[in-house]
Amino acid sequence: MNQNRVDEYRRNFMTTLGGVAAVAAVVPSFVLQTAHAAGEVAAKPVDQAVTNAKRWGMLIDVTKLTDGGAGMVAACKKEHGWGDEAHSADTQKAHWARVVKVTDKLTQNSFSLPVMCQHCENPPCVDVCPTGASMKRADGIVQVNKHICIGCRYCMMACPYKARSFVHEALQDQKPHSPRGMGTVESCNMCVHRIDAGKLPACVEAAPDAVIFGDLNDPNSAVSQAMKTIGGKQIRADLGLNTGVRYHGI
Amino acid sequence: MASQAIIFRETKDSKGFYILLAVLGAFLALGALAFFHAEHHGHHVTGMTNQVVWGLPHVFAIGLIVAASGALNVGSIGTVFGKKIYQPMGRLSALLAISLLVGGLIVLVLDLGHPDRLIVAMTTYNFKSIFAWNIILYNGFLALSAVYIWTMMDRKVKKFYKLAGVAAFTWRLILTTGTGSIFGFLVARDFYNSAVMAPLFIVMSFAMGLAVFILVLHFAYTWTGRPLGDVVMNRLRYLLAVFIGGVLLLEGARHFTGLYIAQKAGVENFILFDGGIYTQLFWVGQIMLGSLLPLSLIFCRKLANNRVALLLAALFTIVGGFAQLYVILIGGQAYPLVLFPGAEVSSDFFDGVINAYEPSIWELMLGLGGVALTLFMVTIGVKVLRFLPDSLSDAVADPHSK
Amino acid sequence: MTSKFSSVFLAATLAFATLLAGCSKAPTEADLNLATAKAKADQCVEPESVIRTKHMDLLMHQRDATMIEGIRTKQHSLKECINCHVSTTKQDGTPLHYGDKEHFCTTCHAAVGQKIDCFQCHADRPQTDDPNYQHTVGSTAGHHFTQGVTAAAAPTAAEVQMVTQPQQGAAK
Ligand code: SF4
Ligand code: SF4
């Protein structure tokens, strides 16, 4: 990044701040976000490309989720509009996130947790995709570039977490910020449109006391600090995927 | 080499030819109908789901693709290993290989969520993806087989015959390895994640390809009234037995080791013992009908030189091959993904339950359409070009045998 | 691909121009009530001629920038095109979709026989419960054929259907 670029960055950043401050209604939520226990997202200037300086991730404290994560799942559904496909059978409806109840066979110990795309650092879904539609953004967000997805579903075969769904029917009136359509595969994209706008993912916002979101690359971020103290487990850590979504209490 | 020269000739015009074309055409039309139906309404009209994401079309597609590389074997044995008796069949073998591959690919492509973006698949490659490599492998296979046919048909390029044959043979081994690796590399699924997948697919391709070849050869000759002797057929007969044995061996190894690897024991037990339809397909379809029955048909003394027995053996080998692919593909997906080893899981997204799959009529139609396309191409091919030797009677095929 | 695209669109533009220039059946400018549209064309993100010939390239470029790099400038964003140019409802109050002949994009695409891929996934009309819903430019009068001129040279049902249908022939 040369100096001009940095200046431009600062200028843009200030404008963004100024712009935000000017709109009274937005101020409270902005303040909330920065001060929020749930983590922080700095607004990225809209004309800047994301870099690998940051890697977004979250820590979900399952012990603090009174509903097992149902509220988070509902927030995701509302944000992206999945799951109401009229013609599809239940087995064919999209599920970007779901609550999984786990009961240990020996101890009968039981807990629930929300499972969505784990935003793997070494994502099998990206490795197998023939066209490169299944992609990892520089900041670690894994998503499907539906423009070049041919709908082969190989990524669904490859994902260990069943995080992906195929859209089995034609859709209408999608959310403008979350395009999704027939014949393509989709999954949790960490609310990439919100992150780019400096907002927290919808599910994180829905469970502010149980989830901490932030930059895993920054050792001082709230999420890194929390993981350092209470730990952050991966589902199927044996696969070595280094997931960006971590859990406490599983 | 032979006392009687081998003469290749196009098949003749006949009523049978047009009837065959009409029948195949009907199946093609049904396949096209199925495609338009599923493409227009979306995949919700199929039995495929977010759990069982690859279904019957993929069984057909992979079956045809696997058979394609195997069908080329007959030619390769003649060219690469210099076995003269196989050489006259080289042209048909390569034609069949191309046709099978095209038939399989068309099913695969038409089942995509976005077949209209095929151009994307052809132009943007992610070189980490086995699938992308396969696209290159398939195209190369078509090209090499075509060149191979050319070297067999045109005296001017005859000197490249051996080279083309070897190239095609090598390529086909890589190709089947690639097809097997589509599954072998899926770390997420315990049933697939295994190095034995690639060699397993190679022997499978030998067996299925040869079985298809035997059937096509027989009917091509009897329906056009050309002589086809026992010498040729018996060679193929015992070769088929060897390949079936090979599949059994590798399948045995795969399942036995699977049972002993703790991670795989769950899904192995499911497939082998309590998987319902999949267990039945495995034991009855693949092992009994698809392997043991053909073997006994081949080795039964009383049935030596019995053509019908050989044809049945070939037919059942194909049935067994499809049963095997169904078990691998669908059975492997029916068994739930393991998120938490050693724990029971449940959710409203079918975690921890055996996934049901019921193929729809559309998927069957699409698959059969691919088969019909293959046979259509072969039928037209032998009609317009000189693929078939006039005679493969014992005297012609192997004059030294007597 | 792009070049085919643009040549088709060039032809499209020509056809559209002829249409406006007034072949006998085509509506006159007065019929079309283009005054508001024209006035507003100045407010568009690019000059009209650029938009007509290059909108697909601009959108394609923006699409990759947004998808892969997270660049979310508004100038060439499809969402903003829709916010500005498309009404949420038809005149009778029913939802307006790109399968309808009044839809801004469809009016032209149908006339030139060019299929639209975007709306299989993207919302084809603004969402009014979204507080960021803009529609400031064309809010009342609507654009082009949106209102008042449906009886003129609006595309036929067959043409409209062509725009929305999946490209089935392609893979055959
Ligand atoms: S969880 Fe699945 S979809 Fe998400 S990055 Fe990992 S492999 Fe891909
Ligand atoms: S379905 Fe789409 S994203 Fe998934 S592997 Fe195929 S092309 Fe890639």
Side-chain angles (χ1 to χ4, degrees):
Chain A
M1 217 190 238
N2 63 31
Q3 193 51 42
N4 277 343
R5 210 55 178 168
V6 175
D7 284 348
E8 191 181 287
Y9 180 93
R10 290 217 186 94
R11 217 170 26 247
N12 279 322
F13 189 64
M14 294 317 285
T15 339
T16 317
L17 276 185
V20 169
V23 187
V26 183
V27 172
S29 73
F30 179 76
V31 174
L32 246 180
Q33 274 163 32
T34 42
H36 215 289
E40 66 284 303
V41 191
K44 175 185 75 68
V46 289
D47 59 345
Q48 306 267 308
V50 291
T51 67
N52 58 8
K54 285 188 164 62
R55 182 186 173 206
W56 298 117
M58 62 175 89
L59 174 65
I60 302 171
D61 185 346
V62 172
T63 59
K64 292 210 184 109
L65 281 173
T66 44
D67 59 356
M72 295 173 68
V73 173
C76 173
K77 186 170 172 161
K78 180 152 174 277
E79 180 73 17
H80 298 280
W82 51 260
D84 293 325
E85 294 78 31
H87 301 288
S88 299
D90 281 347
T91 46
Q92 294 173 325
K93 289 195 165 95
H95 271 83
W96 289 26
R98 64 198 192 269
V99 175
V100 176
K101 183 160 186 265
V102 184
T103 312
D104 192 281
K105 276 186 197 144
L106 286 177
T107 60
Q108 294 300 310
N109 174 275
S110 168
F111 60 90
S112 291
L113 75 169
V115 177
M116 65 293 261
C117 171
Q118 304 288 301
H119 299 276
C120 312
E121 190 189 11
N122 313 306
C125 62
V126 172
D127 286 348
V128 301
C129 176
T131 67
S134 180
M135 58 168 282
K136 189 175 72 166
R137 237 169 59 145
D139 56 2
I141 295 176
V142 177
Q143 56 179 353
V144 181
N145 181 350
K146 289 162 197 169
H147 302 110
I148 56 171
C149 171
I150 56 174
C152 66
R153 285 104 81 202
Y154 196 17
C155 53
M156 299 176 70
M157 291 289 277
C159 172
Y161 304 100
K162 217 166 78 157
R164 295 208 154 170
S165 298
F166 181 67
V167 180
H168 287 76
E169 64 181 78
L171 302 177
Q172 208 167 46
D173 280 333
Q174 297 91 331
K175 308 280 175 192
H177 54 256
S178 187
R180 38 192 304 266
M182 179 164 91
T184 60
V185 164
E186 56 184 17
S187 58
C188 152
N189 57 12
M190 248 188 198
C191 284
V192 67
H193 60 290
R194 294 173 62 103
I195 291 179
D196 283 348
K199 293 199 280 182
L200 291 168
C203 63
V204 181
E205 223 169 64
D209 300 327
V211 190
I212 304 177
F213 181 88
D215 180 8
L216 300 179
N217 282 351
D218 174 5
N220 296 318
S221 68
V223 62
S224 298
Q225 287 294 326
M227 292 224 277
K228 199 171 162 193
T229 30
I230 63 169
K233 274 203 201 147
Q234 312 179 47
I235 307 176
R236 287 299 301 265
D238 58 314
L239 296 174
L241 304 176
N242 188 10
T243 55
V245 175
R246 301 297 186 96
Y247 298 86
H248 173 68
I250 63 170
Chain B
M1 81 187 218
S3 54
Q4 264 176 293
I6 304 259
I7 302 159
F8 290 89
R9 219 188 292 273
E10 304 90 339
T11 57
K12 293 215 181 59
D13 241 355
S14 70
K15 216 160 125 201
F17 171 75
Y18 291 106
I19 295 177
L20 180 61
L21 280 195
V23 171
L24 293 176
F27 275 101
L28 278 180
L30 286 180
L33 184 69
F35 162 63
F36 283 120
H37 184 73
E39 250 0 79
H40 184 77
H41 293 277
H43 275 67
H44 75 86
V45 298
T46 72
M48 289 175 275
T49 65
N50 283 330
Q51 283 56 243
V52 180
V53 301
W54 285 352
L56 196 57
H58 301 80
V59 173
F60 272 98
I62 294 176
L64 288 169
I65 292 170
V66 160
S69 60
L72 193 66
N73 242 18
V74 178
S76 299
I77 296 172
T79 312
V80 181
F81 302 109
K83 297 265 191 290
K84 290 246 158 61
I85 189 175
Y86 290 96
Q87 284 178 2
M89 296 181 279
R91 297 182 184 185
L92 178 64
S93 150
L95 170 68
L96 190 57
I98 292 183
S99 310
L100 282 165
L101 188 64
V102 170
L105 286 181
I106 203 87
V107 176
L108 203 62
V109 164
L110 294 188
D111 181 70
L112 291 175
H114 266 287
D116 52 321
R117 291 188 190 151
L118 190 61
I119 187 77
V120 176
M122 295 294 206
T123 50
T124 40
Y125 289 112
N126 165 22
F127 285 105
K128 267 190 146 181
S129 169
I130 285 287
F131 237 41
W133 282 105
N134 275 331
I135 296 170
I136 299 171
L137 288 173
Y138 295 148
N139 288 332
F141 183 82
L142 291 178
L144 278 177
S145 301
V147 170
Y148 184 41
I149 292 180
W150 183 30
T151 62
M152 285 188 276
M153 286 195 166
D154 188 347
R155 266 165 212 275
K156 277 187 281 208
V157 289
K158 177 105 191 170
K159 55 177 177 289
F160 298 114
Y161 165 63
K162 178 104 185 178
L163 186 68
V166 173
F169 177 69
T170 320
W171 196 271
R172 63 143 306 232
L173 285 182
I174 305 175
L175 180 134
T176 325
T177 309
T179 311
S181 303
I182 288 181
F183 299 98
F185 278 127
L186 294 175
V187 290
R189 304 195 183 242
D190 297 328
F191 195 51
Y192 300 145
N193 179 13
S194 156
V196 85
M197 273 305 194
L200 176 66
F201 268 67
I202 291 183
V203 274
M204 258 170 83
S205 84
F206 285 169
M208 279 180 83
L210 184 59
V212 175
F213 185 83
I214 289 172
L215 288 174
V216 168
L217 187 70
H218 172 82
F219 288 110
Y221 273 72
T222 47
W223 286 351
T224 56
R226 299 180 185 209
L228 175 61
D230 282 334
V231 173
V232 167
M233 285 312 243
N234 280 342
R235 280 290 180 100
L236 300 179
R237 180 192 301 248
Y238 295 117
L239 199 58
L240 184 63
V242 171
F243 292 157
I244 297 174
V247 177
L248 272 179
L249 205 69
L250 279 184
E251 268 295 70
R254 183 167 78 106
H255 289 298
F256 274 123
T257 49
L259 279 175
Y260 282 100
I261 297 174
Q263 219 178 37
K264 296 188 183 205
V267 65
E268 279 297 347
N269 274 311
F270 170 70
I271 297 289
L272 295 183
F273 306 116
D274 48 25
I277 175 79
Y278 306 107
T279 304
Q280 286 164 19
L281 271 177
F282 178 77
W283 290 112
V284 180
Q286 183 188 337
I287 302 298
M288 279 168 62
L289 292 181
S291 308
L292 301 181
L293 179 62
L295 282 180
S296 37
L297 282 171
I298 290 172
F299 286 117
C300 177
R301 286 267 164 78
K302 286 211 180 101
L303 296 174
N305 289 346
N306 184 325
R307 194 60 63 80
V308 178
L310 174 60
L311 296 179
L312 282 177
L315 184 70
F316 279 113
T317 306
I318 297 174
V319 169
F322 274 103
Q324 180 177 11
L325 282 171
Y326 197 91
V327 171
I328 292 181
L329 247 99
I330 318 286
Q333 294 175 84
Y335 192 76
L337 280 174
V338 178
L339 288 190
F340 294 91
E344 307 251 359
V345 291
S346 63
S347 76
D348 62 352
F349 194 41
F350 310 95
D351 282 285
V353 297
I354 303 296
N355 299 305
Y357 170 69
E358 208 176 302
S360 65
I361 183 78
W362 309 108
E363 294 159 81
L364 184 64
M365 277 159 64
L366 185 63
L368 290 178
V371 176
L373 180 68
T374 298
L375 298 177
F376 197 86
M377 285 176 66
V378 174
T379 314
I380 299 276
V382 296
K383 176 86 171 58
V384 298
L385 285 174
R386 295 176 181 169
F387 278 104
L388 291 182
D390 232 359
S391 162
L392 280 177
S393 67
D394 292 352
V396 177
D398 190 7
H400 309 300
S401 71
K402 298 203 173 117
Chain C
M1 214 176 139
T2 316
S3 71
K4 182 189 143 218
F5 217 71
S6 43
S7 63
V8 167
F9 199 80
L10 219 62
T13 320
L14 278 178
F16 194 68
T18 345
L19 200 79
L20 292 185
C23 38
S24 58
K25 271 178 75 188
T28 66
E29 284 211 6
D31 285 337
L32 283 172
N33 186 20
L34 283 179
T36 23
K38 283 215 158 153
K40 279 157 188 164
D42 293 341
Q43 300 173 38
C44 194
V45 295
E46 297 286 350
E48 195 177 312
S49 59
V50 174
I51 286 291
R52 284 202 177 168
T53 51
K54 291 234 152 51
H55 71 269
M56 64 306 270
D57 299 333
L58 298 173
L59 286 170
M60 185 82 98
H61 183 262
Q62 179 76 12
R63 145 199 140 170
D64 291 338
T66 305
M67 209 48 234
I68 296 161
E69 306 191 279
I71 290 171
R72 290 177 192 269
T73 47
K74 289 196 167 176
Q75 188 173 8
H76 297 148
S77 143
L78 175 67
K79 196 166 126 193
E80 300 306 320
C81 300
I82 301 299
N83 275 350
C84 238
H85 288 281
V86 182
S87 324
T88 53
T89 52
K90 289 185 267 199
Q91 266 183 313
D92 59 8
T94 54
L96 173 66
H97 289 295
Y98 80 116
D100 298 317
K101 58 186 188 299
E102 298 95 328
H103 190 279
F104 174 76
C105 305
T106 306
T107 50
C108 200
H109 273 258
V112 300
Q114 183 66 47
K115 168 178 149 28
I116 308 180
D117 247 348
C118 312
F119 302 122
Q120 276 183 36
C121 285
H122 285 276
D124 57 2
R125 58 189 190 126
Q127 220 184 30
T128 36
D129 55 358
D130 176 355
N132 292 324
Y133 167 61
Q134 297 191 325
H135 214 273
T136 44
V137 177
S139 51
T140 47
H143 266 54
H144 304 270
F145 298 100
T146 307
Q147 283 166 20
V149 289
T150 43
T156 65
E159 285 168 340
V160 171
Q161 215 203 354
M162 183 281 312
V163 174
T164 56
Q165 263 192 355
Q167 209 159 15
Q168 289 175 332
K172 280 298 283 176

